[in-house]
């Protein structure tokens, strides 16, 4: 956690990946983020992967450093309390993240009537209000039909990483900060709607893939080959698999030198009338000749020795690791100041990441774990909403508010 957003209060009522990711990023930059859930947990509270006791590693990972409030959101009183928290006064308050529907008790019309300078960032499935999740967005974009080896034919391949959720969450955090800047300049609040499907289609358009399709048809499947450049997986003599890339001229020259294939490469260039050093796309066009050459050279080397040689020449490469290896990798986790080993609400003790940005002017502080569901209900309702002890007790008796069981 850093202190860039100290004093900013953000209220989040959400579930799944995109919206909680936006809240997480703001919390890691120093904002006080208050997550409001249904008593007993929302639809993502027990989502896999789970700890042995059934608690969700997923939930506690996405909610690190946030305060937790539990309300009965099926009741009018619970909904009223959420609206009061979201629109509470304060110069650095009045910022609300949600993926609740456009209409209903969290509509812009209702919330802005409480606070006209409210910033409401709403993550949606589609712009028309219909539902969509990461996998249904991906399936409509065509990406599953260009993922995987050519031998799959017309079989789609779903990605494991929820890319559109993560991009949407990051974009929502950015858009929220843009709206905050606008409010500081003009005093105006506003609702921002960010449809997951629009993030998906806009992203592939920004990458030139829609234009590519319009002017040449769908891209083929290329397996692990990097489209338009030199890049693929290769296996070393000791059976390790590495990813080799050569995008820049320097990277290409270094790779050729390390593998000792300069003469063979020169012969291919002469035969085919091209230069691989000048144009990265030519390395892709002529990969039928280059890949077997590199494959043989890599297969003749031990992984440790080859890795050191590639590093010495500034080459771009990386080992293939399973997650059980990555979690013990000093460069990635165990020796990385990004991570802190902490005890989580599940009771499990493991390393968790803080903010992904590095701020040389600020020292990192240990990562704050997620709170137990409802841990901050009383604090938020008394300090922000202004309820007295008797009022809070009455709400407890009626089952409108929730706190952790002892």
């Amino acid at each position: 956690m850093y202190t860039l957003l100290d004093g900013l209060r953000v209220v989040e009522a959400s579930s799944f990946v995109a919206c909680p990711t936006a809240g997480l990023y703001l919390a890691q930059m120093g904002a006080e983020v208050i997550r409001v859930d249904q008593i007993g947990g929302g639809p993502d509270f027990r989502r896999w992967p789970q700890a042995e006791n059934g608690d969700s590693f997923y939930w506690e990972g996405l909610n690190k450093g946030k305060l937790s409030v539990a309300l009965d959101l099926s009741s009018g009183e619970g909904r009223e309390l959420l609206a009061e928290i979201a629109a509470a006064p304060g110069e650095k308050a009045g910022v609300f993240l949600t993926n609740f529907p456009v209409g209903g008790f969290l509509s812009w019309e209702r919330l802005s009537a409480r606070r006209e300078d409210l910033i409401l960032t709403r993550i949606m499935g589609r712009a028309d209000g219909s539902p969509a999740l990461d996998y249904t967005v991906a399936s409509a974009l065509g990406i599953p039909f260009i993922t995987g080896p050519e031998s799959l034919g017309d079989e789609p391949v779903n990605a494991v990483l929820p890319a559109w959720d993560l991009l949407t969450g990051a974009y929502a955090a950015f858009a929220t900060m843009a709206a905050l800047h606008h409010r500081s300049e003009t005093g105006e609040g506003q609702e921002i709607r960010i449809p997951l499907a629009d993030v998906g289609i806009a992203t592939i358009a920004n990458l030139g893939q829609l234009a590519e399709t319009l002017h040449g048809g769908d891209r083929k499947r290329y397996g692990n080959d990097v489209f338009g450049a030199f890049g693929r997986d290769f296996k070393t003599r000791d059976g390790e698999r590495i990813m080799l890339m050569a995008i820049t001229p320097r990277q290409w020259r270094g790779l050729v030198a390390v593998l000792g294939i300069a003469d063979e490469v020169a012969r291919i260039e002469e035969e085919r009338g091209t230069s691989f050093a000048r144009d990265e796309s030519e390395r892709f066009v002529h990969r039928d000749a280059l890949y077997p050459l590199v494959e043989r050279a890599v297969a003749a080397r031990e992984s440790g020795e080859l890795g050191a040689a590639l590093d010495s020449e500034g080459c771009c490469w990386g080992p293939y690791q399973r997650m059980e290896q990555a979690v013990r990798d000093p460069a990635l986790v165990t020796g990385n100041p990004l991570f802190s080993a902490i005890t989580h609400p599940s009771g499990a003790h493991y390393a968790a990441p803080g903010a992904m940005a590095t701020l040389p002017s600020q020292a990192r502080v240990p990562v704050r774990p997620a709170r137990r569901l409802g841990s901050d209900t009383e604090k938020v309702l008394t300090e922000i909403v202004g309820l007295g002890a008797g009022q809070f007790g009455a709400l407890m008796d009626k089952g409108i508010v929730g706190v952790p069981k002892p």
Side-chain angles (χ1 to χ4, degrees):
M1 182 184 121
Y2 291 122
T3 59
L4 296 184
L5 297 180
D6 271 2
L8 176 65
R9 182 196 304 147
V10 178
V11 179
E12 173 195 325
S14 69
S15 55
F16 302 118
V17 178
C19 200
T21 295
L24 174 65
Y25 291 164
L26 295 172
Q28 289 176 333
M29 285 295 171
E32 177 187 66
V33 178
I34 302 169
R35 171 157 173 164
V36 181
D37 281 289
Q38 173 64 32
I39 293 174
D44 59 346
F45 186 58
R46 297 288 181 187
R47 207 158 186 232
W48 286 16
Q50 293 180 341
E52 291 182 4
N53 63 2
D55 285 354
S56 172
F57 289 143
Y58 164 102
W59 191 90
E60 65 187 20
L62 286 173
N63 293 294
K64 296 186 298 293
K66 302 176 186 178
L67 302 182
S68 176
V69 171
L71 302 173
D72 177 11
L73 298 177
S74 66
S75 70
E77 287 176 280
R79 293 180 174 189
E80 173 69 16
L81 288 169
L82 172 53
E84 286 193 53
I85 298 168
E91 182 183 354
K92 292 188 176 182
V95 181
F96 185 45
L97 304 174
T98 190
N99 60 352
F100 275 59
V102 168
F105 78 104
L106 294 179
S107 70
W108 167 250
E109 291 73 21
R110 291 192 179 190
L111 291 177
S112 61
R114 294 173 178 268
R115 179 170 177 158
E116 63 180 12
D117 69 344
L118 180 75
I119 293 169
L120 194 168
T121 302
R122 190 186 308 276
I123 291 177
M124 306 165 65
R126 293 187 173 85
D128 63 4
S130 59
L133 295 174
D134 186 278
Y135 281 103
T136 62
V137 168
S139 67
L141 297 178
I143 299 296
F145 289 105
I146 62 173
T147 302
E150 188 177 356
S151 60
L152 285 175
D154 290 331
E155 293 295 319
V157 175
N158 287 339
V160 175
L161 185 73
W164 311 121
D165 274 336
L166 298 172
L167 282 170
T168 300
Y171 192 84
F174 154 75
T176 300
M177 297 308 301
L180 270 168
H181 175 73
H182 180 76
R183 187 174 78 177
S184 71
E185 295 291 314
T186 67
E188 296 175 354
Q190 59 197 295
E191 179 183 20
I192 305 165
R193 298 180 182 181
I194 306 176
L196 192 70
D198 284 359
V199 171
I201 193 65
T203 298
I204 65 169
N206 290 340
L207 291 172
Q209 289 181 257
L210 288 190
E212 174 192 1
T213 301
L214 289 170
H215 290 83
D218 280 353
R219 184 183 298 179
K220 296 193 304 180
R221 281 186 157 124
Y222 292 108
N224 287 344
D225 298 0
V226 176
F227 179 70
F230 182 92
R232 209 200 73 184
D233 60 305
F234 297 92
K235 187 180 286 188
T236 62
R237 185 166 62 193
D238 50 342
E240 295 297 319
R241 196 171 289 276
I242 63 172
M243 183 69 190
L244 270 180
M245 297 284 296
I247 302 296
T248 68
R250 182 191 175 195
Q251 290 170 356
W252 175 249
R253 289 192 297 268
L255 179 62
V256 170
V258 168
L259 297 182
I261 56 174
D263 291 343
E264 293 93 331
V265 167
R267 177 181 54 78
I268 296 171
E269 289 177 320
E270 183 177 356
E271 290 175 353
R272 302 197 176 192
T274 187
S275 170
F276 300 132
R278 286 200 306 265
D279 189 345
E280 67 171 306
S281 63
E282 286 295 284
R283 301 169 213 150
F284 181 76
V285 171
H286 299 283
R287 66 192 183 283
D288 62 310
L290 292 175
Y291 283 161
L293 178 63
V294 173
E295 194 172 85
R296 289 192 296 272
V298 171
R301 308 280 285 271
E302 296 289 323
S303 59
E305 176 270 326
L306 177 59
L310 291 168
D311 286 340
S312 70
E313 290 291 336
C315 298
C316 185
W317 74 283
Y320 277 83
Q321 297 187 142
R322 297 190 180 277
M323 284 191 188
E324 62 186 14
Q325 295 173 292
V327 78
R328 295 175 175 82
D329 187 331
L332 293 177
V333 179
T334 56
N336 190 344
L338 169 66
F339 282 83
S340 299
I342 58 174
T343 300
H344 298 263
S346 61
H349 187 81
Y350 58 89
M356 294 178 281
T358 296
L359 304 182
S361 64
Q362 292 192 27
R364 288 185 180 272
V365 297
V367 176
R368 294 182 300 168
R371 302 278 286 165
R372 293 180 62 199
L373 186 68
S375 289
D376 306 289
T377 304
E378 184 173 7
K379 170 184 171 67
V380 170
L381 291 181
T382 56
E383 296 182 7
I384 295 177
V385 177
L387 297 184
Q391 292 173 297
F392 184 81
L395 290 172
M396 280 283 293
D397 293 339
K398 293 170 66 177
I400 303 299
V401 299
V403 298
K405 295 180 180 179

